[in-house]
Amino acid sequence: MLTMRIPVIAGNWKMYKTPSEAIVLAEGVVKALSSLDGPELVVCPPFTALAAVGRVVAGSRISLGAQNLHWAREGAYTGEVSAAMLQDVGCRHVIIGHSERRQYFGETDESVNRKSCAALACGLTPIVCVGETLAEREAGRAYAVVETQLKGGLSGLLPEQIQKLVLAYEPVWAIGTGKTATPSQADEMHAHIRKTIGMLFDSGIACGIRILYGGSVKPDNARELLERTEIDGALIGGASLQVDSFAAIASAAQK
Ligand code: 13P
């Protein structure tokens, strides 16, 4: 049976854009992409801009996502934001385990797991990020590292929960560096991720799960990446901060 995986094009705005700047960008994205057929479109502004961007994208085909969350429903956790809060402000997606959070904020596979469960419990779609560093790739450990991240991050999730989740392969050495994994490097890793999901859950789930590629995706390399059978979309940093480049990448996802 052939499974149709609808591509996802998601913009991770990272710590860029004040709320007023974010409104301008979101308005541009809505205008440029409202009539695009095909991929699911997501924008993930910083927390402070979620409400404002939520109002701009409401009623359009662009969905709102956050970049992180805390796993508790509420509590004395100064500075944190819960899944229920994100859901209430209009989020449908949330990025979890981004390498910048792993690198600078102590995110672990265990916290990725707790956050994924919390997001799913509130009806949010987690976009769970995995990926190896350059040192790990050069040591021939890329596949093993990603496998460990998947096992730890997704441990204990039920098959019906995994079905709702989106994965993103972001090799750390390709993020913000201008170096992209070659389409075949990315395709091979995506195939390995799918195989691992098949082993951890079952082959039907592996076949249906969307795996996005992230790391220096730009308008001029998007098509060759997105054409690959194993690549089901993109998680875009820098190029999502401009309407033209985000729109060009989204258009390249119309398979
Ligand atoms: P760049 O597209 O800027 O390399 O960032 C990728 C990324 O980290 C998306 O989450």
Side-chain angles (χ1 to χ4, degrees):
M1 191 187 69
L2 192 67
T3 311
M4 266 294 286
R5 296 188 295 265
I6 297 169
V8 181
I9 299 294
N12 173 9
W13 294 2
K14 306 194 178 183
M15 199 173 75
Y16 293 98
K17 304 293 174 189
T18 63
S20 37
E21 291 165 347
I23 290 172
V24 176
L25 176 56
E27 285 173 347
V29 169
V30 169
K31 198 162 164 235
L33 292 175
S34 276
S35 59
L36 184 84
D37 255 359
E40 280 179 31
L41 302 169
V42 187
V43 292
C44 305
F47 285 140
T48 48
L50 284 173
V53 170
R55 284 189 286 274
V56 175
V57 301
S60 79
R61 60 184 305 284
I62 321 285
S63 106
L64 185 68
Q67 300 174 18
N68 183 31
L69 80 164
H70 191 273
W71 55 78
R73 197 179 160 78
E74 58 182 10
Y77 298 106
T78 302
E80 295 291 323
V81 172
S82 74
M85 292 167 186
L86 297 178
Q87 198 260 346
D88 192 70
V89 84
C91 287
R92 303 227 302 266
H93 294 77
V94 57
I95 298 170
I96 298 177
H98 192 279
S99 66
E100 286 150 16
R101 296 221 50 91
R102 295 178 190 259
Q103 188 179 352
Y104 305 126
F105 304 102
E107 190 91 80
T108 61
D109 295 336
E110 195 203 337
S111 59
V112 169
N113 188 242
R114 297 175 84 168
K115 290 178 180 194
S116 299
C117 291
L120 287 161
C122 268
L124 296 172
T125 298
I127 302 176
V128 174
C129 303
V130 295
E132 80 287 358
T133 63
L134 184 60
E136 289 163 343
R137 177 159 283 264
E138 283 176 351
R141 294 179 46 231
Y143 285 27
V145 165
V146 167
E147 215 173 292
T148 303
Q149 290 172 337
L150 289 169
K151 280 187 186 144
L154 306 181
S155 141
L157 292 189
L158 303 170
E160 58 266 31
Q161 292 180 302
I162 293 290
Q163 272 166 341
K164 295 193 182 122
L165 173 146
V166 173
L167 295 172
Y169 169 56
E170 298 207 317
V172 179
W173 48 270
I175 296 178
T177 57
K179 279 189 206 159
T180 334
T182 63
S184 48
Q185 268 174 331
D187 208 42
E188 280 160 25
M189 180 60 93
H190 283 221
H192 181 70
I193 291 172
R194 210 175 290 289
K195 198 172 116 208
T196 306
I197 296 296
M199 268 155 33
L200 296 173
F201 299 94
D202 71 55
S203 57
I205 288 174
C207 206
I209 198 162
R210 270 102 44 101
I211 310 174
L212 317 185
Y213 171 78
S216 297
V217 177
K218 307 287 176 211
D220 59 3
N221 61 20
R223 193 169 294 276
E224 55 177 8
L225 287 160
L226 293 166
E227 264 169 13
R228 294 289 171 141
T229 49
E230 293 292 341
I231 301 181
D232 308 313
L235 182 55
I236 306 150
S240 71
L241 297 172
Q242 261 118 37
V243 173
D244 289 356
S245 45
F246 186 65
I249 296 168
S251 306
Q254 282 182 303
K255 291 204 179 180

